[in-house]
Amino acid sequence: MKKDMKWTKWMVLTALFAFTILGSFTSPAAAATIAVGAGSYTNSLPAGQTGPPATIYKTSNVTGAMPTNDWWSSLAWKAYSDVMFPHPLAVQAKADGLGIGYPVQSGSADAMFGAYVNDFTLGHSAQSNFPDAKVDAFSDWTVSMLFSSGGTMRITTGHGLPFIYGTYAGGLPKLTFPSAPTVWSGSASSSVLGVTINGHHYGLFGPTGSTWSGIGTSTLTNSLNGKSYFSVAVLPDNTAATLNAYKQYAYSFVTNTTSNYSYNSSTSKVSTTYSVTTQAMEGTQTGTIMALYPSQWKNTSTSLLPYTYDSVRGTMKTVAGSSFTTSLTYQGILPYLPAVGSYNNATLNNYIESVRTEANHTVGATDTYWLGKYLGRIANLLPIAQQAGNTTAVANFENYLETTLSSNLTAGTKTNNLFYYNSNWGTLIGYPASYGSNDSLNDHHFHYGYWVRAAAEVARNNPSWASTANYGGMVNMLIKDFANWDRSDTSFPYMRNFDPYAGHSWASGNSEFADGNNQESSSEAINAWSAMILWGQATGNTAIRDAGIYLYTTEVNAVNEYWFNIDGTNFKSGYNHNYSSMIWGGKSVYATWFSADVQAIRGINILPVTAASAYLGYKPSYSAAFLAQTASERGGNAWNMWPDIFWEYQALYDADGAISLFNANPNYTPEDGETKAHTYSFLYNMQALGQVDTSVTANVPTYGVFKKGSTRNYVAYNPGTSAITVTFSDGATLSVPAGSVASSLGTVVTPSGPSITSLSPSSGSAGSTVTVTGSGFGASQGTSSIKFGSAAAAVTSWSNTSITATVPSSLAAGSYNVTVTTSAGTSNAVSYTVAGASLSSNVLYAKSGSSLSFTAGTAAASDTIASAGGANYDGNPHSPTTYTITGITGTYDATKATAFHLFLDSGTSVGNGVQVQVTYDFNGNGSATRVETYGYFATNDVTGWEDYTQGGGPTSAAGSFANMNNGTITIKVWSAIGNGASSLRVNASSANGQQSTVTIPYK
C-alpha cells in the first residue's frame, strides 16, 4: 500500500502495490508521557508499533527536524535518491554522481509525462563512485547534497532553477554523456561551453581561465583554474545570445530560498514573495534566472524574460533577479452554510436522527485517517442539527467530538489511540496508523486535517475545551506536524506537506518513486488548510489562521491549474480528459491508488464537500464540463459510488439538477464521511444561494458571496462575542451577530453607488498621482475601475471612501472627466486637467529597468545587448534593449539636433557592431512620428567602456520634428553585426562618470 490510498470499506485490497517496511525502532523504552495542557503525547515508540527508519542520510550540518514530503525527500531516506524533479530539470543522485536531464514531454490517453532522461552525469574526476549522497543543507525549494569519499562534490539544485551549482575538493568536475555532445559554443581553451545532447541544450560554466579536456568524446572535464566552483544550466535554445545571458548569472550561486506570505483582510489578497539569496563566486552579480510555474507567472506583475521551458505542469516562464511576488485573491470560506434552503425541516430532522441513533458514530476503522473522516462527518452535521433545533442531537454530536478527540489526544499508558513524537525526524505520528503514515510519514495533512476540522467545531461550541490549558495545545501540535507556520520552532519542519514553490502539497513522506513525489486527493489537502483557518478563527490565533489562508488560497490556485486545468492551458496534446486525478513530479495521470472506477478517479479530488468547498465552483462552466465528461466516460450520471459527493459538486453550478438526482435515488449509500442530512441541507441551501461569485470579496476571512440570476447573496460568519458589520468590496454591508453565520437572504442589502466628492490635486501632469475622495467605492478594487475620460488609471490604494490613482501617461494636455465604476454603477464625473510637463532639461539618462530619466542614476550598472548571432541587422532593430520616457512637453529647438553618448563594452569579442535608433512620439499616442537611425559603432576587442556618439548624424531619418505635448521618447540599442553580446553602461552617477545620455532638441 502506498501514498494517497483511500479505501472504502467495501473494496477488496488488490495486489497492485507492495508495502515495504523501510525501517523501525526495536525494543522501545518505557513510554515517557509529555503533558500538553489536559492532553499529552509520548516520546517513546509505543510497544508493537512501527515508526520511520532510524537512519537519515544527512550530514552534521543538518540539525533540527528533517523535512519530509518534499520533491527531494528520497535523498534523505536512502543512500542515493530516486529521480527528483526540480523543474525545469530532473536529477538523480547516483553512485557516480548526479544524473541530470531536461524531462521529455509527452501525452497519452490517460497520462501526461515529463519523463526523466539522463542527458549526462555530473561527477568527480578523482572518484568513480561515492558511498552515498547526503543532505547537506536545504531551504524552501532547494537542496544541497554532499558526495564525499576522499574527494568531495557538493551540489545544489532547486525548483525553478535552470542552474545546478557545484563546489569541488580533491578533484575536478567530470561530465559523462551517453555519447559525445555537440559543442556549439566554446572550445578546449574557453571556460564556458554550449553543448547539445539528446536535443537538449546546456551551458557549462567553469571558472574564468579554466579549460576543458575531452572535447569530441563522451567525457568532459573542467580544469577549474585553481578554483572550486562550477555550474551548469539547461538552456531554452542553442544561441550564443542566450548562453551569454545565462552566463551573467552562472557564477551567482543560490545559497538560500524563502517564501514569505501576507494576508490583507481589507483587500482579501494573499501576497507571496519568493526570494533567493546568492553568493557571487566571481564578479559582483546578484540574483539569478528563475523559471515560474503557470500558477506563479499568471499572478505576478514582475517583468518576464523571453526564455521559456516546457514542463509537465505547462509552460514555465522566466524572470531575472533576487525575488518576485505573486498576488492571489482569497475568496473566503464558511464553517457551515446558512439555513436558507426550502427543505422540509421534518425530513431534515429524520436524517439527523438516523445518525444520532447510531450505535457508534465511529462506524469503522479507528486509524488516524478513517477516525478523522468520522470526526469530520459529525463536525459537518453538528451545526445542521443546531439549525434544525434538534437539541438532543446537538448534545450527542458535541459529546462524541469532545470525547473522541480528548481520548485520542491523551497518551497515558496506552499503546494505541495516541500520538507519538519522533525527535529523530521531528514528527508527530498517530496510532493506529494507516497508508504509511507511520513508517513513511505519508498523508499527515490528509489525516490530521479532519481532526483539526473537528476540533474547530468543538472550539466554536465550547471555547474552554480549545484553550491551551485544555486540548488546544495538542491540536496546535497536530497542525505544526503537517504545516508548521513558525520557522523558529525547529521541533517540526517548516510547512512539512506544502511545497511553497510548486504551490501545492505532496502526500508521500519519502518520495521513493521513479516519477518523484505525488499527491492524489488535493481536496483533502484543502480540507486541512480550511480547518486551520477555522481553528485559528475560533481560538484567536491569527498566525494559524493566516497560514491557513495562505495555504488554502495558494493550493486552490494550483489545483485549478494542474488537477482541473480550468483555463485549458496546461495539459498535453493526446491526453483524453479535462482533469488529472494524481499529480507527480514527472507525470500527471488519470487513475487512483485504489480503484479504476471513473467515479473514484473523479471523486477523490472533490471529497470531503463542506462549506469550505466553494472553490470547486469558481468556474461553473468548467464544473459542468467536468461532470459531463464524467458521465460520458461512465455512460450516465446514475452514480453508484459516492453519489452524494457528485450531487454536492453539481449543486455549486446546478442545484436544481442535483436535487432532482437526490430525490430520484432516496436509498443511496452515503460516502463514508457524509450523511444524508448534510447532503440534503447542502443541496437546498445552494439552490437558494446560487453560484459562487468570485468578483466580490469581504473584509473578514470567513465569508462567501453567491449570485442567483441578477441577485447577489452575501454570507459571513462572526466567531467573536459581539456583533460585527462586514463590508464587501462592492460596498454592500452585512450585520452578523456574535457566533453566527448570517446571510442577506431575507434582508435587502443594496450597495450604495459610487460618488466622487473631490480630487486632490485637481490638475497635474500625466503620470502624476491623484487622490479621489467620495463614498461607495467598495472596500477593495476587485473588478471596479477608475477612468480619466476613456483611459483606465492604475490604482495604488483603494478603500470605500478614498482611491489613489495614477493619471494615465497616454493622456495629452487637456480636461478629462474622472469616474469610478463598481458593480453598483458609475459615479458622477469630476473634471481633472492634465497639464503639459515642463521640460527642466534636455539631457536624458539611461537607467536600469528600460527607462530614460532627466535625473542621473546613483550607482553604475550594465545592461546586456544581445548578440546578432552572426547575422546582419544593420538598420533593422533585432532583439533591442529599449529605454523609454513618457509625458514630455517641450518646444522644438530647430538650432539643435539629437545627440548621445552611449558607453559600450564588448569585452574581448571581435567584430561586434552596436546600433541605436531614437524615436519621437510627439503626443504620446503610440505613433513614432520621427525616427532616427544611426550608423553602427564597431566596438574593439579590449575590455573597457567605449563612447558611441551621434557622429555625422543619422544614416536615416523619417518624419519631421514638432513640439511635444505629453510625448514619448524611445531609444533602441541592438547588435547590428557580430557573434558576441555587448554591455551598455546605465544608471551611472556624475561621480561614476561615463554616463550614457541622450540630448534632445527641445527647450
Side-chain angles (χ1 to χ4, degrees), residues 649-674:
Y649 179 83
Q650 182 175 348
L652 293 169
Y653 71 90
D654 173 26
D656 290 343
I659 288 170
S660 294
L661 292 172
F662 174 87
N663 289 334
N665 188 10
N667 297 317
Y668 77 93
T669 300
E671 188 268 333
D672 289 279
E674 266 295 353

Side-chain angles (χ1 to χ4, degrees), residues 189-201:
S189 60
S190 56
S191 57
V192 175
L193 296 181
V195 304
T196 297
I197 186 71
N198 296 331
H200 304 151
H201 314 299

